[in-house]
Short mmCIF file of all heavy atoms in Angstrom, two decimals:
data_model
loop_
_atom_site.label_atom_id
_atom_site.label_comp_id
_atom_site.label_asym_id
_atom_site.label_seq_id
_atom_site.Cartn_x
_atom_site.Cartn_y
_atom_site.Cartn_z
N ARG A 1192 -16.12 -2.92 -8.11
CA ARG A 1192 -14.71 -3.03 -8.06
C ARG A 1192 -14.02 -2.25 -9.19
O ARG A 1192 -14.55 -2.10 -10.27
CB ARG A 1192 -14.30 -4.44 -8.16
CG ARG A 1192 -14.72 -5.30 -7.00
CD ARG A 1192 -14.28 -6.74 -7.15
NE ARG A 1192 -14.77 -7.51 -5.98
CZ ARG A 1192 -14.15 -8.51 -5.48
NH1 ARG A 1192 -13.18 -9.05 -6.12
NH2 ARG A 1192 -14.63 -9.11 -4.47
N CYS A 1193 -12.79 -1.79 -8.92
CA CYS A 1193 -12.09 -1.09 -9.88
C CYS A 1193 -10.59 -1.34 -9.70
O CYS A 1193 -10.08 -1.29 -8.55
CB CYS A 1193 -12.43 0.43 -9.80
SG CYS A 1193 -11.56 1.39 -11.04
N ARG A 1194 -9.89 -1.68 -10.74
CA ARG A 1194 -8.45 -1.84 -10.59
C ARG A 1194 -7.80 -0.46 -10.43
O ARG A 1194 -8.13 0.46 -11.12
CB ARG A 1194 -7.88 -2.51 -11.88
CG ARG A 1194 -6.45 -2.86 -11.80
CD ARG A 1194 -6.01 -3.58 -12.95
NE ARG A 1194 -4.66 -3.86 -12.90
CZ ARG A 1194 -4.01 -4.90 -13.30
NH1 ARG A 1194 -4.68 -5.82 -13.96
NH2 ARG A 1194 -2.72 -5.00 -13.15
N SER A 1195 -6.96 -0.32 -9.42
CA SER A 1195 -6.40 0.97 -9.12
C SER A 1195 -4.97 0.81 -8.60
O SER A 1195 -4.54 -0.30 -8.35
CB SER A 1195 -7.26 1.74 -8.01
OG SER A 1195 -7.39 0.90 -6.95
N ALA A 1196 -4.34 1.99 -8.51
CA ALA A 1196 -2.90 2.00 -8.11
C ALA A 1196 -2.80 2.97 -6.97
O ALA A 1196 -3.30 4.05 -7.02
CB ALA A 1196 -1.98 2.39 -9.26
N LEU A 1197 -2.09 2.59 -5.92
CA LEU A 1197 -1.86 3.47 -4.75
C LEU A 1197 -0.29 3.74 -4.70
O LEU A 1197 0.45 2.82 -4.80
CB LEU A 1197 -2.30 2.73 -3.50
CG LEU A 1197 -2.13 3.47 -2.18
CD1 LEU A 1197 -2.82 4.85 -2.18
CD2 LEU A 1197 -2.66 2.57 -1.03
N ARG A 1198 0.07 4.99 -4.72
CA ARG A 1198 1.46 5.37 -4.83
C ARG A 1198 1.85 6.20 -3.58
O ARG A 1198 1.08 7.09 -3.18
CB ARG A 1198 1.62 6.25 -6.06
CG ARG A 1198 2.93 6.85 -6.19
CD ARG A 1198 3.00 7.82 -7.39
NE ARG A 1198 1.92 8.77 -7.44
CZ ARG A 1198 1.87 9.94 -6.80
NH1 ARG A 1198 2.86 10.30 -6.00
NH2 ARG A 1198 0.91 10.76 -6.82
N PHE A 1199 2.99 5.88 -3.00
CA PHE A 1199 3.50 6.62 -1.82
C PHE A 1199 4.84 7.29 -2.26
O PHE A 1199 5.65 6.68 -2.89
CB PHE A 1199 3.73 5.74 -0.69
CG PHE A 1199 2.43 5.29 -0.03
CD1 PHE A 1199 1.84 4.12 -0.42
CD2 PHE A 1199 1.86 6.02 1.01
CE1 PHE A 1199 0.62 3.71 0.16
CE2 PHE A 1199 0.69 5.65 1.61
CZ PHE A 1199 0.05 4.47 1.20
N GLU A 1200 4.98 8.50 -1.79
CA GLU A 1200 6.19 9.27 -2.05
C GLU A 1200 6.99 9.36 -0.75
O GLU A 1200 6.44 9.09 0.34
CB GLU A 1200 5.90 10.74 -2.50
CG GLU A 1200 5.15 10.81 -3.81
CD GLU A 1200 5.99 10.49 -4.96
OE1 GLU A 1200 7.30 10.58 -4.89
OE2 GLU A 1200 5.42 10.09 -6.02
N ARG A 1201 8.25 9.76 -0.80
CA ARG A 1201 9.15 10.00 0.33
C ARG A 1201 9.29 8.75 1.26
O ARG A 1201 9.29 8.83 2.48
CB ARG A 1201 8.67 11.17 1.15
CG ARG A 1201 8.58 12.51 0.29
CD ARG A 1201 8.05 13.60 1.19
NE ARG A 1201 7.98 14.76 0.31
CZ ARG A 1201 8.76 15.82 0.36
NH1 ARG A 1201 9.82 15.80 1.14
NH2 ARG A 1201 8.60 16.85 -0.42
N VAL A 1202 9.35 7.60 0.62
CA VAL A 1202 9.53 6.32 1.35
C VAL A 1202 11.04 6.11 1.60
O VAL A 1202 11.80 6.18 0.59
CB VAL A 1202 8.94 5.13 0.51
CG1 VAL A 1202 9.22 3.83 1.22
CG2 VAL A 1202 7.42 5.32 0.33
N THR A 1203 11.43 5.86 2.77
CA THR A 1203 12.82 5.61 3.07
C THR A 1203 13.14 4.19 3.37
O THR A 1203 14.34 3.85 3.40
CB THR A 1203 13.21 6.46 4.37
OG1 THR A 1203 12.41 6.05 5.45
CG2 THR A 1203 13.03 7.97 4.10
N GLY A 1204 12.09 3.36 3.51
CA GLY A 1204 12.38 1.90 3.69
C GLY A 1204 11.08 1.15 3.55
O GLY A 1204 9.97 1.59 3.67
N CYS A 1205 11.28 -0.16 3.19
CA CYS A 1205 10.14 -1.05 2.98
C CYS A 1205 10.42 -2.47 3.49
O CYS A 1205 11.51 -2.96 3.21
CB CYS A 1205 9.72 -1.06 1.50
SG CYS A 1205 8.36 -2.20 1.10
N LYS A 1206 9.44 -3.03 4.14
CA LYS A 1206 9.55 -4.46 4.55
C LYS A 1206 8.30 -5.18 4.09
O LYS A 1206 7.18 -4.60 4.14
CB LYS A 1206 9.73 -4.52 6.07
CG LYS A 1206 11.04 -3.95 6.60
CD LYS A 1206 11.10 -4.11 8.12
CE LYS A 1206 12.39 -3.48 8.58
NZ LYS A 1206 12.54 -3.48 10.00
N CYS A 1207 8.50 -6.41 3.67
CA CYS A 1207 7.47 -7.21 3.14
C CYS A 1207 7.17 -8.42 3.95
O CYS A 1207 8.16 -9.06 4.49
CB CYS A 1207 7.74 -7.67 1.73
SG CYS A 1207 8.15 -6.42 0.53
N ARG A 1208 5.93 -8.89 4.07
CA ARG A 1208 5.57 -10.11 4.70
C ARG A 1208 4.53 -10.79 3.79
O ARG A 1208 3.43 -10.21 3.51
CB ARG A 1208 5.02 -9.89 6.09
CG ARG A 1208 4.67 -11.28 6.77
CD ARG A 1208 4.03 -11.11 8.12
NE ARG A 1208 4.94 -10.37 9.04
CZ ARG A 1208 4.52 -9.98 10.21
NH1 ARG A 1208 3.29 -10.12 10.60
NH2 ARG A 1208 5.38 -9.33 10.99
N ASN A 1209 4.80 -11.98 3.32
CA ASN A 1209 3.95 -12.74 2.44
C ASN A 1209 3.53 -12.00 1.14
O ASN A 1209 2.49 -12.14 0.65
CB ASN A 1209 2.67 -13.10 3.16
CG ASN A 1209 2.87 -14.06 4.35
OD1 ASN A 1209 3.82 -14.87 4.32
ND2 ASN A 1209 2.08 -13.98 5.39
N VAL A 1210 4.50 -11.21 0.70
CA VAL A 1210 4.35 -10.48 -0.62
C VAL A 1210 5.70 -10.67 -1.35
O VAL A 1210 6.74 -10.38 -0.74
CB VAL A 1210 4.09 -9.05 -0.46
CG1 VAL A 1210 4.09 -8.24 -1.76
CG2 VAL A 1210 2.76 -8.79 0.28
N ASP A 1211 5.70 -11.15 -2.59
CA ASP A 1211 6.91 -11.39 -3.31
C ASP A 1211 7.27 -10.00 -3.99
O ASP A 1211 6.64 -9.56 -4.89
CB ASP A 1211 6.62 -12.45 -4.39
CG ASP A 1211 7.86 -12.74 -5.19
OD1 ASP A 1211 8.98 -12.26 -4.91
OD2 ASP A 1211 7.72 -13.50 -6.22
N PRO A 1212 8.43 -9.46 -3.54
CA PRO A 1212 8.85 -8.19 -4.17
C PRO A 1212 9.19 -8.29 -5.65
O PRO A 1212 9.16 -7.34 -6.38
CB PRO A 1212 10.09 -7.77 -3.37
CG PRO A 1212 10.20 -8.78 -2.22
CD PRO A 1212 9.26 -9.92 -2.48
N ALA A 1213 9.54 -9.50 -6.11
CA ALA A 1213 9.87 -9.72 -7.52
C ALA A 1213 8.56 -9.88 -8.36
O ALA A 1213 8.66 -9.78 -9.56
CB ALA A 1213 10.72 -11.01 -7.69
N GLY A 1214 7.40 -10.08 -7.75
CA GLY A 1214 6.17 -10.29 -8.47
C GLY A 1214 5.52 -9.00 -8.89
O GLY A 1214 4.42 -8.64 -8.45
N LYS A 1215 6.15 -8.26 -9.81
CA LYS A 1215 5.67 -6.88 -10.19
C LYS A 1215 4.35 -6.89 -10.91
O LYS A 1215 3.66 -5.93 -10.92
CB LYS A 1215 6.74 -6.20 -11.05
CG LYS A 1215 7.97 -5.88 -10.19
CD LYS A 1215 9.01 -5.21 -10.93
CE LYS A 1215 10.31 -5.14 -10.20
NZ LYS A 1215 10.81 -3.82 -10.01
N ASP A 1216 3.98 -8.07 -11.48
CA ASP A 1216 2.70 -8.17 -12.22
C ASP A 1216 1.63 -8.76 -11.34
O ASP A 1216 0.48 -8.91 -11.84
CB ASP A 1216 2.87 -8.93 -13.48
CG ASP A 1216 3.75 -8.31 -14.51
OD1 ASP A 1216 3.77 -7.06 -14.58
OD2 ASP A 1216 4.44 -8.99 -15.29
N ALA A 1217 1.90 -9.03 -10.10
CA ALA A 1217 0.88 -9.65 -9.24
C ALA A 1217 -0.16 -8.61 -8.85
O ALA A 1217 0.11 -7.44 -8.71
CB ALA A 1217 1.56 -10.17 -7.96
N VAL A 1218 -1.43 -9.11 -8.73
CA VAL A 1218 -2.54 -8.28 -8.33
C VAL A 1218 -2.73 -8.55 -6.90
O VAL A 1218 -2.93 -9.67 -6.41
CB VAL A 1218 -3.80 -8.57 -9.16
CG1 VAL A 1218 -5.01 -7.79 -8.66
CG2 VAL A 1218 -3.58 -8.28 -10.60
N LEU A 1219 -2.72 -7.47 -6.02
CA LEU A 1219 -2.94 -7.60 -4.64
C LEU A 1219 -4.23 -6.88 -4.30
O LEU A 1219 -4.57 -5.80 -4.72
CB LEU A 1219 -1.78 -6.87 -3.89
CG LEU A 1219 -0.37 -7.38 -4.11
CD1 LEU A 1219 0.64 -6.54 -3.45
CD2 LEU A 1219 -0.24 -8.82 -3.73
N ASN A 1220 -5.04 -7.53 -3.39
CA ASN A 1220 -6.29 -6.96 -2.90
C ASN A 1220 -6.10 -6.26 -1.61
O ASN A 1220 -5.87 -6.96 -0.56
CB ASN A 1220 -7.31 -8.06 -2.82
CG ASN A 1220 -7.67 -8.67 -4.14
OD1 ASN A 1220 -8.01 -7.96 -5.09
ND2 ASN A 1220 -7.53 -9.97 -4.27
N LEU A 1221 -6.09 -4.97 -1.60
CA LEU A 1221 -5.81 -4.18 -0.49
C LEU A 1221 -7.00 -4.17 0.46
O LEU A 1221 -8.19 -3.84 0.00
CB LEU A 1221 -5.47 -2.76 -0.85
CG LEU A 1221 -5.12 -1.74 0.21
CD1 LEU A 1221 -3.83 -2.17 0.96
CD2 LEU A 1221 -4.88 -0.34 -0.38
N LEU A 1222 -6.83 -4.49 1.73
CA LEU A 1222 -7.96 -4.53 2.71
C LEU A 1222 -7.89 -3.29 3.58
O LEU A 1222 -9.03 -2.74 3.92
CB LEU A 1222 -7.84 -5.74 3.56
CG LEU A 1222 -7.89 -7.06 2.87
CD1 LEU A 1222 -7.67 -8.18 3.83
CD2 LEU A 1222 -9.18 -7.25 2.07
N ALA A 1223 -6.82 -2.81 3.98
CA ALA A 1223 -6.72 -1.70 4.94
C ALA A 1223 -5.40 -1.02 4.81
O ALA A 1223 -4.37 -1.61 4.42
CB ALA A 1223 -6.95 -2.20 6.37
N VAL A 1224 -5.29 0.27 5.20
CA VAL A 1224 -4.12 1.04 5.30
C VAL A 1224 -4.06 1.74 6.66
O VAL A 1224 -5.06 2.27 7.15
CB VAL A 1224 -4.08 2.19 4.24
CG1 VAL A 1224 -2.84 3.07 4.34
CG2 VAL A 1224 -4.24 1.63 2.84
N GLU A 1225 -2.95 1.66 7.36
CA GLU A 1225 -2.77 2.23 8.70
C GLU A 1225 -1.55 3.13 8.70
O GLU A 1225 -0.54 2.77 8.11
CB GLU A 1225 -2.62 1.05 9.67
CG GLU A 1225 -2.37 1.46 11.15
CD GLU A 1225 -2.23 0.21 12.00
OE1 GLU A 1225 -3.27 -0.33 12.39
OE2 GLU A 1225 -1.11 -0.21 12.24
N PHE A 1226 -1.62 4.26 9.40
CA PHE A 1226 -0.52 5.16 9.55
C PHE A 1226 -0.25 5.39 10.98
O PHE A 1226 -1.18 5.72 11.77
CB PHE A 1226 -0.73 6.51 8.83
CG PHE A 1226 0.35 7.50 9.07
CD1 PHE A 1226 1.54 7.35 8.43
CD2 PHE A 1226 0.20 8.60 9.86
CE1 PHE A 1226 2.64 8.25 8.69
CE2 PHE A 1226 1.24 9.54 10.08
CZ PHE A 1226 2.38 9.34 9.44
N SER A 1227 1.02 5.17 11.41
CA SER A 1227 1.37 5.43 12.77
C SER A 1227 2.57 6.45 12.72
O SER A 1227 3.61 6.16 12.17
CB SER A 1227 1.98 4.14 13.40
OG SER A 1227 0.96 3.16 13.48
N GLN A 1228 2.30 7.60 13.34
CA GLN A 1228 3.29 8.63 13.34
C GLN A 1228 4.31 8.36 14.45
O GLN A 1228 3.94 8.07 15.55
CB GLN A 1228 2.59 10.00 13.56
CG GLN A 1228 3.48 11.19 13.46
CD GLN A 1228 2.73 12.49 13.57
OE1 GLN A 1228 1.86 12.59 14.39
NE2 GLN A 1228 3.07 13.41 12.70
N ASP A 1229 5.60 8.53 14.07
CA ASP A 1229 6.60 8.28 15.18
C ASP A 1229 7.53 9.49 15.37
O ASP A 1229 7.83 9.89 16.46
CB ASP A 1229 7.48 6.98 14.98
CG ASP A 1229 8.15 6.93 13.64
OD1 ASP A 1229 8.19 8.00 12.89
OD2 ASP A 1229 8.72 5.88 13.34
N ASP A 1230 7.99 10.11 14.26
CA ASP A 1230 8.86 11.28 14.31
C ASP A 1230 8.18 12.29 13.37
O ASP A 1230 8.51 12.35 12.16
CB ASP A 1230 10.26 10.95 13.92
CG ASP A 1230 11.26 12.06 14.05
OD1 ASP A 1230 10.93 13.02 14.82
OD2 ASP A 1230 12.34 11.99 13.45
N ALA A 1231 7.30 13.16 13.87
CA ALA A 1231 6.47 14.04 13.10
C ALA A 1231 7.32 14.83 12.05
O ALA A 1231 8.43 15.28 12.41
CB ALA A 1231 5.71 15.01 13.96
N PRO A 1232 6.98 14.88 10.80
CA PRO A 1232 5.72 14.41 10.30
C PRO A 1232 5.81 12.92 9.74
O PRO A 1232 4.91 12.38 9.07
CB PRO A 1232 5.42 15.34 9.11
CG PRO A 1232 6.76 15.71 8.62
CD PRO A 1232 7.69 15.75 9.81
N GLY A 1233 6.92 12.31 9.99
CA GLY A 1233 7.18 10.95 9.49
C GLY A 1233 6.50 9.86 10.36
O GLY A 1233 5.98 10.09 11.39
N GLY A 1234 6.61 8.62 9.78
CA GLY A 1234 6.00 7.49 10.43
C GLY A 1234 6.05 6.25 9.62
O GLY A 1234 6.85 6.11 8.75
N VAL A 1235 5.12 5.36 9.96
CA VAL A 1235 5.09 4.05 9.27
C VAL A 1235 3.68 3.85 8.67
O VAL A 1235 2.69 4.06 9.40
CB VAL A 1235 5.40 2.97 10.25
CG1 VAL A 1235 5.24 1.54 9.65
CG2 VAL A 1235 6.79 3.08 10.85
N VAL A 1236 3.62 3.53 7.42
CA VAL A 1236 2.43 3.13 6.71
C VAL A 1236 2.42 1.62 6.61
O VAL A 1236 3.38 1.02 6.10
CB VAL A 1236 2.28 3.75 5.34
CG1 VAL A 1236 1.04 3.30 4.59
CG2 VAL A 1236 2.32 5.30 5.43
N THR A 1237 1.37 0.96 7.04
CA THR A 1237 1.21 -0.48 6.93
C THR A 1237 0.02 -0.75 5.96
O THR A 1237 -1.06 -0.25 6.22
CB THR A 1237 1.03 -1.16 8.29
OG1 THR A 1237 2.06 -0.77 9.13
CG2 THR A 1237 1.03 -2.65 8.11
N LEU A 1238 0.32 -1.53 4.93
CA LEU A 1238 -0.81 -1.95 4.01
C LEU A 1238 -1.07 -3.40 4.22
O LEU A 1238 -0.14 -4.29 4.28
CB LEU A 1238 -0.23 -1.76 2.54
CG LEU A 1238 0.18 -0.31 2.21
CD1 LEU A 1238 1.39 -0.32 1.31
CD2 LEU A 1238 -0.91 0.44 1.57
N PHE A 1239 -2.28 -3.74 4.40
CA PHE A 1239 -2.81 -5.08 4.66
C PHE A 1239 -3.49 -5.67 3.41
O PHE A 1239 -4.45 -4.95 2.97
CB PHE A 1239 -3.70 -5.18 5.87
CG PHE A 1239 -3.09 -4.64 7.16
CD1 PHE A 1239 -3.16 -3.30 7.48
CD2 PHE A 1239 -2.46 -5.55 7.97
CE1 PHE A 1239 -2.59 -2.82 8.65
CE2 PHE A 1239 -1.82 -5.07 9.16
CZ PHE A 1239 -1.90 -3.75 9.50
N PHE A 1240 -3.10 -6.80 2.98
CA PHE A 1240 -3.71 -7.49 1.80
C PHE A 1240 -4.38 -8.72 2.12
O PHE A 1240 -4.09 -9.39 3.15
CB PHE A 1240 -2.56 -7.65 0.79
CG PHE A 1240 -1.90 -6.46 0.32
CD1 PHE A 1240 -0.70 -6.08 0.83
CD2 PHE A 1240 -2.42 -5.64 -0.68
CE1 PHE A 1240 -0.07 -4.90 0.46
CE2 PHE A 1240 -1.79 -4.48 -1.09
CZ PHE A 1240 -0.58 -4.11 -0.53
N SER A 1241 -5.35 -9.15 1.30
CA SER A 1241 -6.00 -10.44 1.48
C SER A 1241 -4.85 -11.51 1.33
O SER A 1241 -3.89 -11.36 0.65
CB SER A 1241 -7.07 -10.63 0.44
OG SER A 1241 -6.56 -10.60 -0.90
N GLY A 1242 -5.08 -12.64 2.04
CA GLY A 1242 -4.11 -13.71 2.01
C GLY A 1242 -3.01 -13.50 2.99
O GLY A 1242 -2.03 -14.33 3.02
N GLY A 1243 -3.10 -12.46 3.86
CA GLY A 1243 -2.07 -12.27 4.96
C GLY A 1243 -0.85 -11.51 4.52
O GLY A 1243 0.09 -11.26 5.30
N GLY A 1244 -0.86 -10.84 3.34
CA GLY A 1244 0.27 -10.08 2.89
C GLY A 1244 0.28 -8.77 3.63
O GLY A 1244 -0.81 -8.15 3.91
N MET A 1245 1.47 -8.18 3.83
CA MET A 1245 1.62 -6.87 4.44
C MET A 1245 2.85 -6.15 3.87
O MET A 1245 3.89 -6.82 3.56
CB MET A 1245 1.83 -6.96 5.93
CG MET A 1245 0.67 -7.46 6.73
SD MET A 1245 0.94 -7.76 8.51
CE MET A 1245 1.85 -6.32 8.98
N LEU A 1246 2.73 -4.87 3.73
CA LEU A 1246 3.84 -4.01 3.39
C LEU A 1246 3.99 -2.99 4.54
O LEU A 1246 3.01 -2.38 4.85
CB LEU A 1246 3.73 -3.34 2.05
CG LEU A 1246 3.80 -4.20 0.81
CD1 LEU A 1246 3.51 -3.27 -0.48
CD2 LEU A 1246 5.13 -4.90 0.70
N ARG A 1247 5.26 -2.75 4.95
CA ARG A 1247 5.47 -1.74 5.99
C ARG A 1247 6.40 -0.67 5.36
O ARG A 1247 7.57 -1.01 5.02
CB ARG A 1247 6.15 -2.37 7.20
CG ARG A 1247 6.35 -1.40 8.36
CD ARG A 1247 7.04 -2.19 9.51
NE ARG A 1247 7.12 -1.41 10.69
CZ ARG A 1247 8.12 -0.56 10.97
NH1 ARG A 1247 9.14 -0.45 10.11
NH2 ARG A 1247 8.15 0.10 12.08
N LEU A 1248 5.93 0.52 5.19
CA LEU A 1248 6.67 1.60 4.62
C LEU A 1248 7.07 2.60 5.64
O LEU A 1248 6.15 3.14 6.37
CB LEU A 1248 5.86 2.29 3.54
CG LEU A 1248 5.16 1.40 2.45
CD1 LEU A 1248 4.32 2.29 1.53
CD2 LEU A 1248 6.21 0.63 1.62
N GLU A 1249 8.37 2.92 5.64
CA GLU A 1249 8.80 4.01 6.53
C GLU A 1249 8.85 5.25 5.62
O GLU A 1249 9.45 5.27 4.57
CB GLU A 1249 10.21 3.76 7.05
CG GLU A 1249 10.17 2.46 7.98
CD GLU A 1249 11.59 2.14 8.44
OE1 GLU A 1249 12.56 2.93 8.29
OE2 GLU A 1249 11.81 0.95 8.92
N VAL A 1250 8.18 6.27 6.07
CA VAL A 1250 7.99 7.55 5.23
C VAL A 1250 8.43 8.71 6.03
O VAL A 1250 8.34 8.80 7.23
CB VAL A 1250 6.55 7.70 4.79
CG1 VAL A 1250 6.12 6.55 3.88
CG2 VAL A 1250 5.56 7.78 5.99
N GLU A 1251 8.99 9.73 5.24
CA GLU A 1251 9.39 11.03 5.81
C GLU A 1251 8.15 11.80 6.23
O GLU A 1251 8.21 12.52 7.21
CB GLU A 1251 10.23 11.81 4.75
CG GLU A 1251 11.54 11.23 4.45
CD GLU A 1251 12.23 12.08 3.32
OE1 GLU A 1251 11.71 13.06 2.91
OE2 GLU A 1251 13.32 11.56 2.92
N CYS A 1252 7.10 11.69 5.43
CA CYS A 1252 5.82 12.34 5.69
C CYS A 1252 4.76 11.55 4.87
O CYS A 1252 5.12 10.78 4.01
CB CYS A 1252 5.77 13.80 5.31
SG CYS A 1252 5.96 14.15 3.60
N LEU A 1253 3.55 11.74 5.19
CA LEU A 1253 2.53 10.98 4.50
C LEU A 1253 2.08 11.72 3.30
O LEU A 1253 1.46 12.76 3.27
CB LEU A 1253 1.25 10.81 5.39
CG LEU A 1253 0.14 9.90 4.90
CD1 LEU A 1253 0.72 8.50 4.53
CD2 LEU A 1253 -0.98 9.77 5.91
N GLU A 1254 2.55 11.18 2.10
CA GLU A 1254 2.26 11.80 0.82
C GLU A 1254 1.86 10.65 -0.15
O GLU A 1254 2.77 9.82 -0.47
CB GLU A 1254 3.48 12.52 0.29
CG GLU A 1254 3.17 13.35 -0.97
CD GLU A 1254 4.41 14.18 -1.34
OE1 GLU A 1254 5.15 14.66 -0.52
OE2 GLU A 1254 4.63 14.39 -2.57
N ALA A 1255 0.61 10.58 -0.57
CA ALA A 1255 0.15 9.41 -1.33
C ALA A 1255 -0.83 9.84 -2.41
O ALA A 1255 -1.39 10.94 -2.36
CB ALA A 1255 -0.50 8.39 -0.39
N GLY A 1256 -0.99 8.99 -3.38
CA GLY A 1256 -1.98 9.21 -4.45
C GLY A 1256 -2.68 7.94 -4.86
O GLY A 1256 -2.04 6.87 -4.83
N LEU A 1257 -3.96 8.04 -5.21
CA LEU A 1257 -4.75 6.88 -5.62
C LEU A 1257 -5.29 7.17 -7.02
O LEU A 1257 -5.90 8.22 -7.16
CB LEU A 1257 -5.83 6.57 -4.63
CG LEU A 1257 -6.78 5.41 -4.97
CD1 LEU A 1257 -6.03 4.10 -4.92
CD2 LEU A 1257 -7.89 5.40 -3.93
N ALA A 1258 -5.15 6.18 -7.99
CA ALA A 1258 -5.64 6.43 -9.35
C ALA A 1258 -6.36 5.17 -9.83
O ALA A 1258 -5.83 4.05 -9.59
CB ALA A 1258 -4.49 6.84 -10.28
N ASP A 1259 -7.52 5.34 -10.47
CA ASP A 1259 -8.18 4.17 -11.10
C ASP A 1259 -7.46 3.91 -12.39
O ASP A 1259 -7.04 4.81 -13.14
CB ASP A 1259 -9.60 4.58 -11.47
CG ASP A 1259 -10.48 4.79 -10.21
OD1 ASP A 1259 -10.10 4.30 -9.13
OD2 ASP A 1259 -11.59 5.43 -10.28
N LEU A 1260 -7.33 2.61 -12.68
CA LEU A 1260 -6.62 2.19 -13.88
C LEU A 1260 -7.62 1.59 -14.93
O LEU A 1260 -7.13 1.16 -16.00
CB LEU A 1260 -5.59 1.03 -13.48
CG LEU A 1260 -4.50 1.41 -12.52
CD1 LEU A 1260 -3.61 0.29 -12.20
CD2 LEU A 1260 -3.70 2.64 -13.07
N GLY A 1261 -8.80 1.59 -14.61
CA GLY A 1261 -9.80 1.07 -15.59
C GLY A 1261 -11.20 1.34 -15.10
O GLY A 1261 -11.41 1.91 -14.15
N PRO A 1262 -12.20 0.84 -15.91
CA PRO A 1262 -13.62 1.06 -15.48
C PRO A 1262 -13.99 0.18 -14.32
O PRO A 1262 -13.40 -0.87 -14.04
CB PRO A 1262 -14.36 0.57 -16.76
CG PRO A 1262 -13.44 -0.37 -17.42
CD PRO A 1262 -12.06 0.05 -17.18
N ALA A 1263 -15.02 0.62 -13.62
CA ALA A 1263 -15.57 -0.12 -12.51
C ALA A 1263 -16.37 -1.23 -13.06
O ALA A 1263 -17.00 -1.18 -14.10
CB ALA A 1263 -16.47 0.83 -11.68
N ARG A 1264 -16.38 -2.37 -12.29
CA ARG A 1264 -17.14 -3.51 -12.64
C ARG A 1264 -17.86 -4.01 -11.40
O ARG A 1264 -17.37 -3.85 -10.27
CB ARG A 1264 -16.27 -4.55 -13.31
CG ARG A 1264 -15.21 -5.11 -12.42
CD ARG A 1264 -14.24 -6.03 -13.21
NE ARG A 1264 -13.38 -6.73 -12.42
CZ ARG A 1264 -12.30 -6.33 -11.73
NH1 ARG A 1264 -12.07 -5.05 -11.87
NH2 ARG A 1264 -11.63 -7.05 -10.99
N PRO A 1265 -19.01 -4.60 -11.51
CA PRO A 1265 -19.76 -5.08 -10.35
C PRO A 1265 -19.04 -6.32 -9.68
O PRO A 1265 -18.40 -7.07 -10.30
CB PRO A 1265 -21.13 -5.55 -10.99
CG PRO A 1265 -20.95 -5.72 -12.40
CD PRO A 1265 -19.68 -4.89 -12.76
N ALA A 1266 -19.17 -6.28 -8.32
CA ALA A 1266 -18.62 -7.43 -7.55
C ALA A 1266 -19.63 -8.53 -7.46
O ALA A 1266 -20.88 -8.25 -7.51
CB ALA A 1266 -18.34 -6.87 -6.21
N LYS A 1267 -19.15 -9.74 -7.36
CA LYS A 1267 -20.08 -10.90 -7.28
C LYS A 1267 -20.74 -10.98 -5.93
O LYS A 1267 -21.78 -11.53 -5.82
CB LYS A 1267 -19.29 -12.19 -7.56
CG LYS A 1267 -18.84 -12.27 -9.01
CD LYS A 1267 -18.05 -13.59 -9.26
CE LYS A 1267 -17.54 -13.54 -10.66
NZ LYS A 1267 -16.67 -14.72 -10.96
N ALA A 1268 -20.08 -10.56 -4.89
CA ALA A 1268 -20.65 -10.59 -3.54
C ALA A 1268 -20.34 -9.34 -2.76
O ALA A 1268 -19.47 -8.60 -3.05
CB ALA A 1268 -19.99 -11.77 -2.84
#
C-alpha cells in the first residue's frame, strides 16, 4: 500500500455521494475509476471508494495524474 493522490484537470462539475466535501483531511480508499465518454473528448469520470462513496466528475477531456505521497508499506491482507 502507498498513500497517493489522484488529480484531474479540466473538470467542469462534480457530484458527491457518501463523501463529505468539507472533509479535506479525510483518507479515501479508491476501489475503481470509470470513464464514460459522452461528447468527445469529454465525458464523465466516476470514482468508487470503499464504504459506498462516489465522486462523479464531468470533464472536458480525460487529463489526470497520479503521484505517490510516501513510501510503500505492506498490506495486512
